[in-house]
Amino acid sequence: MGDTLAQKLIRAHLVCGEMVVGQEIGLRIDQTLTQDATGTMAYLEFEAMGVPRVRTERSVAYIDHNTLQTGFENADDHRYIQTVCKKHGLYFSRPGNGICHQVHLERFGIPGKTLIGSDSHTPTGGGIGMLAFGAGGLDVAVAMGGGTYYITMPRIVKVELTGKLSPWVAAKDVILEVLRRMSVKGGVGKIVEYAGEGVKTLSVPERATITNMGAELGASTSVFPSDDVTRQFMAAQGREADWVALAADEDAVYDEVITIDLSALEPLAACPHSPDAVKPVSALAGMRVNQCCIGSCTNSSLQDMLKVAAILKGKTVHPDVSLSIAPGSKQVYNMLAENGALADLIAAGARILECACGPCIGMGQSPNSAGVSLRTFNRNFEGRSGTADAQVYLVSPETAAAAALTGVFTDPRTLGDAPVVTMPEKFLLNDNMIVLPAPVEEADSVVIERGPNIKPFPKTAPLADTINAKLMLKVEDNITTDHIMPAGAKILPLRSNIPAISEHCFVRCDPEFPARCKREGDGIIVGGANYGQGSSREHAALAPLYLGIKAVIVKSFARIHVANLINAGILPLTFKNEADYDKLTLGDELCLPDVRRRLMMGEPVVLENRTTGQTIELCHTFSGRQIDMLLAGGLLDYTREQQA
Ligand code: MIC
Ligand code: SF4
C-alpha cells in the first residue's frame, strides 16, 4: 500500500509519534513565517525562550497587516520586528513588499519542505507542494528555536479533479465548490490533497487560491503535487534549483475521496456571513452592489490582476460602486506597472491600494451601512469588514470585476469572451525590500527597539488543583476568532498590548464581557460547535487568559484555536453529551473539582454546576505532552521547565 503525498511529506519530517489517525505526531519544521499582527507577540515569546539565532532553514517576518499607521503603535511594532530579525537571524520583508503568503510563494517556498506560519492561511504554500500549517505565535516561536511542531495525525481526503475550467470560471469557484460540499467544519482533522488529471490544467497561483482557502474548511492543511507546472513557476521565479517532483504513490489509499469535474463548475459566491453559504452567481444576478474589493492572500496574483485589468480595460467603474484593488506583492505591482495593466485599472476608476491585507482585515475600505460588498477574499464573517451590517460575498476576481462595471451581481459568462492570461516566462526579480539578518558575529551589538505600546506576555500560573469559576459567557455554534478578538483598524494596533486589547475581547457578542471578568474574577466560557474557527491569532486565547478565563467548555473546537488555548494554559474541554450545553446559564457558579489530579491520573474530568446542583461529564483528547503543558501553565512555562 503506497503513501499519499501528505503522508510522504509527514514521513519525511516525522520526529516522534506514529502516523496513526488521531494520534499526536511531531514534525521537524524547515521554514517559518510571521506577519506583523501576530509577529510582535511571537517574537516576544521567542525572546523569552533565550535562543540567540533561529534554527530553521529559513525564517521570514512579513509586515503586511498593520500597515495603516494612524498612530505610533504599528510603526513601532514594525521597527521592533525589524530589529529582532537583524539580531536573531531572520529575513525581514518590509512594509510595501506584499502579503506574506503571496511573497512567500514567490520568493521562499520550496516544494517538499515544511512551513509553519503565525497566520491561518499559511497552507497557501501547499500550492507548490509544501506541507504548510497555520499555527499560534508560540508554536512558531518554538519552531524558530528548533523545536518540534505537534499536530494530530489527520485523515487524508483526496479531491480528484477531472476536466478543465470553462471560460470565466476560476480557481475561487473550485474552492467554493469544495466549501459548499464539505462546510466550514468539514475539514477539521483532515488534510485535503488534490490529485487527478485536472491538476495539470491549474497554474500555481490558481492552486494557491485553493490551498489558501482550505483554511476555511477547518482543514489542517491542503496540498497539490509538485509537477511540471510547479517547475515552470519556480523557474520563472529564478528558483528552478529548488524544485523537486512530488506526487502520491499510484496505490495510495485515502480516508475519503471527493471528485470534482472542473468542466461542470460555474461562477459561485459565498453569501453572508459564512464561506460555506455558497450559491451560483447566476442565482444572485441583478442584486445591487455597493463595493467590490479585489486582492488579499487568496486572489492577488499577477494572473488575477491581469484578468481584472483585461475586463476593465477601456471601461468605467459603475457610478454606484467603489472598486478597490490591492495587488498581492511588490513583484505583482511592479509588473502591472511595467506592462501597462496598472494604467488600465487606474483609467477605469479603480482605487489602487498598497500591496497589503488592507480591507480583508478591516484596515480601511469598510462598506457603507448595510452595503453589499463583493470581495475576492477568503472570509466574510459578520462585522469583519468593519461595518456591522455589511453584506459581504466572496467571489472570484472575474465576478468582482463584472459587478464593478455593471453595478449589480453579474454572471461574468454574460460578458462575452473571457480574458486569456498566460503565466510569464520570467517574473520581475527584485528582492530589494527584503532585509537580510546581521552576520552572526555582529548580532550581539544589534539593539532591539521597543515602543511603549509593547507590553509583556500575560501572567500564567500552574493549573490549580480545583477550579472554581463563574460562567462568564455563553455563546452559540461557529464562534470565530473575529468574535473572540476582533481585528480592524482601531483594535489591531493593540496586538502587542494584551491588557489594552483585552478590553475588546468578545465585545461583538457581549459588550459587558471584559468588565464582568474584571469584576467577578475567575471565569469559564461555554460555547457550541466549531468554537474558534478562523484565524490563528493567539490573542483569542491570551486576552481571555488575561481576563481570568480558566477553561472553555464547548461542543467542538477548531484546530488552531484549541492549540492556542492549551499553549496559553487555558483548559479546552468538550461536553460528553452535547445536550448538557442547555444545562448551563450565564452567571452559574461552576467547579472543576480535583481537575489537576484527574488530568494527571487520566481520570475523567467533570463539571459541577453549584447553582443547579447538576454534574456534567466532560471530555478531552489531550496528549501526555499537552497535559504536562497545561499543568505547567502553558507552553512558555513548559518550555522553561524542560530547559531547566
Ligand atoms: C485573518 O485573516 O484573520 C488574519 C488576520 O490574517 C489572521 C491572523 C491575525 O489575526 O493576525 C489569520 O488568518 O490567522
Ligand atoms: Fe491578510 Fe486577509 Fe490573508 Fe489574513 S486572510 S493574511 S488578513 S489577506
Side-chain angles (χ1 to χ4, degrees):
M1 188 172 94
D3 272 346
T4 70
L5 172 55
Q7 286 165 343
K8 285 187 187 182
L9 297 175
I10 291 172
R11 202 180 292 288
H13 291 87
L14 195 67
V15 177
C16 56
E18 269 182 72
M19 290 172 55
V20 175
V21 171
Q23 295 214 0
E24 187 175 76
I25 54 169
L27 298 174
R28 189 182 70 253
I29 296 304
D30 303 319
Q31 299 191 341
T32 64
L33 70 79
T34 57
Q35 39 90 339
D36 46 337
T38 53
T40 322
M41 207 34 83
Y43 294 112
L44 288 170
E45 290 152 358
F46 178 73
E47 285 190 281
M49 285 173 193
V51 178
R53 227 34 205 184
V54 290
R55 298 195 177 128
T56 49
E57 291 174 15
R58 177 72 74 244
S59 285
V60 190
Y62 294 90
I63 307 294
D64 55 359
H65 281 63
N66 284 344
T67 56
L68 204 63
Q69 291 156 223
T70 51
F72 63 91
E73 295 87 349
N74 293 345
D76 279 7
D77 284 358
H78 301 168
R79 189 184 52 171
Y80 164 72
I81 294 173
Q82 181 161 2
T83 52
V84 166
C85 290
K86 196 168 176 196
K87 190 176 186 72
H88 295 292
L90 292 94
Y91 283 52
F92 179 74
S93 174
R94 299 181 60 191
N97 199 42
I99 307 175
C100 54
H101 309 303
Q102 176 67 25
V103 179
H104 206 84
L105 198 73
E106 292 169 355
R107 307 305 305 142
F108 294 107
I110 297 178
K113 299 281 184 186
T114 49
L115 164 71
I116 69 168
S118 60
D119 192 282
S120 65
H121 290 105
T122 305
T124 310
I128 53 167
M130 298 191 85
L131 186 66
F133 300 95
L138 254 167
D139 285 320
V140 176
V142 168
M144 288 191 294
T148 302
Y149 176 58
Y150 294 90
I151 59 165
T152 306
M153 179 65 199
R155 290 158 59 81
I156 317 288
V157 183
K158 175 177 170 182
V159 178
E160 172 91 18
L161 300 176
T162 64
K164 186 176 184 308
L165 291 173
S166 311
W168 293 109
V169 184
K172 181 65 141 235
D173 302 313
V174 179
I175 187 62
L176 289 177
E177 173 64 12
V178 181
L179 273 154
R180 189 185 70 77
R181 294 203 205 172
M182 286 177 73
S183 92
V184 289
K185 25 183 202 278
V188 176
K190 300 175 187 174
I191 292 182
V192 183
E193 184 172 318
Y194 291 85
E197 279 302 293
V199 165
K200 62 173 183 286
T201 69
L202 298 173
S203 68
V204 163
E206 288 174 320
R207 296 173 187 187
T209 295
I210 294 170
T211 52
N212 174 289
M213 279 190 78
E216 276 54 68
L217 296 165
S220 303
T221 189
S222 305
V223 65
F224 269 85
S226 169
D227 57 9
D228 205 49
V229 173
T230 324
R231 187 191 58 71
Q232 282 169 33
F233 174 82
M234 296 291 288
Q237 290 288 354
R239 304 197 295 119
E240 189 171 358
D242 284 338
W243 176 78
V244 286
L246 296 165
D249 289 329
E250 290 280 328
D251 55 348
V253 178
Y254 293 85
D255 296 301
E256 209 177 309
V257 180
I258 292 176
T259 304
I260 293 183
D261 177 5
L262 297 175
S263 329
L265 292 181
E266 60 179 307
L268 298 171
C271 302
H273 302 283
S274 184
D276 61 359
V278 175
K279 286 191 184 155
V281 170
S282 56
L284 302 162
M287 183 195 296
R288 275 192 56 187
V289 170
N290 305 101
Q291 184 190 51
C292 295
C293 298
I294 297 174
S296 94
C297 57
T298 327
N299 274 117
S300 59
S301 66
L302 181 68
Q303 197 178 3
D304 287 328
M305 295 293 147
L306 289 176
K307 279 195 222 161
V308 170
I311 297 167
L312 297 182
K313 189 179 167 83
K315 308 208 169 76
T316 300
V317 171
H318 189 277
D320 297 334
V321 177
S322 165
L323 169 66
S324 76
I325 299 182
S329 68
K330 173 166 162 285
Q331 183 184 73
V332 173
Y333 220 149
N334 221 333
M335 290 181 76
L336 290 174
E338 287 201 343
N339 75 12
L342 184 60
D344 296 332
L345 298 174
I346 295 170
R351 303 168 66 180
I352 314 290
L353 309 178
E354 68 172 319
C355 46
C357 300
C360 179
I361 190 57
M363 277 283 180
Q365 305 294 322
S366 298
N368 56 286
S369 299
V372 171
S373 178
L374 269 55
R375 302 181 158 210
T376 67
F377 307 167
N378 42 34
R379 290 189 173 138
N380 59 345
F381 303 144
E382 197 168 6
R384 180 173 159 103
S385 66
T387 301
D389 58 358
Q391 304 295 308
V392 177
Y393 293 80
L394 307 176
V395 297
S396 69
E398 288 87 332
T399 299
L405 292 176
T406 62
V408 291
F409 242 115
T410 303
D411 185 334
R413 292 174 299 177
T414 60
L415 295 188
D417 288 341
V420 179
V421 167
T422 50
M423 293 289 289
E425 271 181 27
K426 272 266 159 277
F427 286 96
L428 182 71
L429 303 182
N430 176 1
D431 291 329
N432 64 345
M433 292 292 274
I434 291 175
V435 182
L436 302 188
V440 184
E441 57 282 6
E442 288 166 28
D444 273 353
S445 61
V446 176
V447 177
I448 293 182
E449 297 185 46
R450 282 167 231 276
N453 184 47
I454 299 179
K455 297 283 185 281
F457 193 83
K459 262 213 211 85
T460 52
L463 185 67
D465 294 331
T466 287
I467 292 175
N468 288 299
K470 241 198 174 104
L471 203 168
M472 213 60 93
L473 184 73
K474 187 173 177 187
V475 287
E476 63 282 11
D477 287 352
N478 289 321
I479 286 295
T480 71
T481 55
D482 281 298
H483 290 105
I484 306 173
M485 200 58 264
K490 293 195 192 87
I491 304 177
L492 277 171
L494 306 174
R495 281 291 181 92
S496 32
N497 185 340
I498 300 296
I501 205 169
S502 68
E503 297 292 333
H504 303 271
C505 187
F506 266 121
V507 289
R508 280 200 192 133
C509 301
D510 180 349
E512 294 305 311
F513 175 73
R516 184 157 65 243
C517 292
K518 288 192 171 160
R519 196 174 58 235
E520 311 267 352
D522 291 351
I524 289 178
I525 294 171
V526 168
N530 200 24
Y531 178 90
Q533 69 163 323
S535 84
S536 69
R537 63 189 71 145
E538 60 188 338
H539 303 74
L542 298 181
L545 169 70
Y546 180 81
L547 292 172
I549 296 302
K550 301 295 171 199
V552 178
I553 303 172
V554 301
K555 294 180 184 169
S556 65
F557 284 103
R559 181 186 73 92
I560 306 178
H561 186 61
V562 74
N564 283 340
L565 287 172
I566 298 173
N567 287 352
I570 296 177
L571 271 177
L573 298 162
T574 52
F575 294 105
K576 186 164 183 199
N577 177 2
E578 287 192 2
D580 286 341
Y581 170 88
D582 298 323
K583 294 184 183 156
L584 295 163
T585 311
L586 189 69
D588 282 352
E589 294 291 347
L590 305 178
C591 175
L592 290 161
D594 219 9
V595 64
R596 188 177 174 92
R597 192 193 54 79
R598 285 171 189 257
L599 282 180
M600 280 167 76
M601 305 309 288
E603 290 173 19
V605 175
V606 295
L607 179 74
E608 289 175 5
N609 188 338
R610 296 269 158 94
T611 304
T612 63
Q614 284 164 317
T615 298
I616 290 172
E617 291 178 287
L618 301 176
C619 301
H620 68 77
T621 53
F622 304 142
S623 65
R625 184 190 64 91
Q626 288 173 321
I627 289 179
D628 288 344
M629 227 195 297
L630 286 163
L631 297 177
L635 181 54
L636 261 187
D637 304 272
Y638 171 76
T639 309
R640 283 197 203 101
E641 271 183 16
Q642 300 281 99
Q643 282 166 352

